[in-house]
């Protein structure tokens, strides 16, 4: 587990863009492909905007990159709620990625139908079995949720699907989410977390390994976990954890 703390969201975005580019370079060198799953919410916006600019926009072989989402709101792609819309506006519309390589979760469909379609599309791209994403981006909620794996939600116990429809009681809303099985098959995970409101959850996951927090369950067997935090989100971590 590699933890880096940044003084601003701009510094976090610059480092995260570099990290993504490094993962892409290694993936293309080793496997000739780069499959990435984007996270949603607001924290990744700065990183996605940075990716759309040089040198990242012109050094990564974007026409060969495949883009997925680690979760999505059950809302149409044009909705302000849509994680797809956020990524398209900040990054994807500025990069030469073929439409066929953009595998959005179809939030406009009934939730279970969208999950069935997403699993079908993932299998069509990756073949049968549990695919190992080169990089999965994740955020962290104040309650320790990640992707749309919320505490107490059914998808946390899902073992038959890789992408599930998940009803989130506290939001009174359906979400689509990668399940733990798919997340934990990743070669590399990058958490990007900002804000004081996440500091307790960051401590709970990184230091206390609290099993009640879904993000604690992110322990990829073949891969590694990196954390990019701003100072506020890292403010409850011990000096020992931070290697100070
Ligand atoms: C979503 C996310 C979710 C998010 C966290 C943090 O669809 O909202 O994928 O898991 O990463 O809630 O969100 P912020 O970055 O907006 O704080």
């Amino acid at each position: 587990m590699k933890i880096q703390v940044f003084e601003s969201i701009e510094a976090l975005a610059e480092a995260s863009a570099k990290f993504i580019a490094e993962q892409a370079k290694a993936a293309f060198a080793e496997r000739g492909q780069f499959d990435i799953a984007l996270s949603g919410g607001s924290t990744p916006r700065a990183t996605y905007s940075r990716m759309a600019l040089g040198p990242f926009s012109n050094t990564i072989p974007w026409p060969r990159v495949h883009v997925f989402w680690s979760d999505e709101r059950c809302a149409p792609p044009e909705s302000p709620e849509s994680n797809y819309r956020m990524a398209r506006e900040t990054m994807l519309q500025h990069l030469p990625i073929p439409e066929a390589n953009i595998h959005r979760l179809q939030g406009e469909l009934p939730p279970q139908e969208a999950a069935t379609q997403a699993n079908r599309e993932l299998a069509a791209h990756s073949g049968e079995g549990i695919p190992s994403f080169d990089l999965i981006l994740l955020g962290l909620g104040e309650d320790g949720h990640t992707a749309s794996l919320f505490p107490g939600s059914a998808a946390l116990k899902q073992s038959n699907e890789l992408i599930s429809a998940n009803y989130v009681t506290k939001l009174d809303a359906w979400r689509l989410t990668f399940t733990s099985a798919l997340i934990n098959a990743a070669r590399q995970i990058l958490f990007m977390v900002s804000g004081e409101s996440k500091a307790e959850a960051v401590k709970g996951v990184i230091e206390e390994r609290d099993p009640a927090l879904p993000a604690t369950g992110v322990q990829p067997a073949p891969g590694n976990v990196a954390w990019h935090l701003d100072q506020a989100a890292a403010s409850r971590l011990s000096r020992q954890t931070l290697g100070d």
Side-chain angles (χ1 to χ4, degrees), residues 38-45 69-73 81-83 86 137-143 145-150 171 175-177 191-195 197-198:
L38 304 179
S39 59
S42 55
T43 300
R45 294 185 68 96
W69 277 260
S70 51
D71 81 326
E72 183 56 279
R73 288 77 181 281
E81 281 294 300
S82 168
N83 290 335
M86 184 270 281
L137 304 181
L138 293 173
L140 182 69
E142 295 175 26
D143 57 4
H145 81 259
T146 193
S148 282
L149 298 171
F150 284 77
L171 302 176
R175 292 281 188 95
L176 299 166
T177 186
F191 279 97
M192 296 182 286
V193 188
S194 66
S197 67
K198 309 299 179 65

Side-chain angles (χ1 to χ4, degrees), residues 154-238:
L156 274 175
K157 305 178 188 68
Q158 174 59 254
S159 56
N160 298 323
E161 284 182 323
L162 297 177
I163 302 171
S164 286
N166 196 29
Y167 179 73
V168 183
T169 307
K170 70 184 287 190
L171 302 176
D172 187 22
W174 283 89
R175 292 281 188 95
L176 299 166
T177 186
F178 279 13
T179 59
S180 298
L182 185 53
I183 290 171
N184 284 331
R187 291 187 174 87
Q188 181 68 55
I189 300 281
L190 174 61
F191 279 97
M192 296 182 286
V193 188
S194 66
E196 172 77 27
S197 67
K198 309 299 179 65
E200 278 305 321
V202 166
K203 181 182 180 65
V205 173
I206 291 179
E207 283 188 352
E208 297 161 2
R209 310 302 293 156
D210 181 351
L213 307 178
T216 300
V218 175
Q219 299 169 34
N224 305 301
V225 179
W227 290 81
H228 286 181
L229 307 168
D230 71 358
Q231 287 170 338
S235 59
R236 299 282 197 286
L237 293 178
S238 67

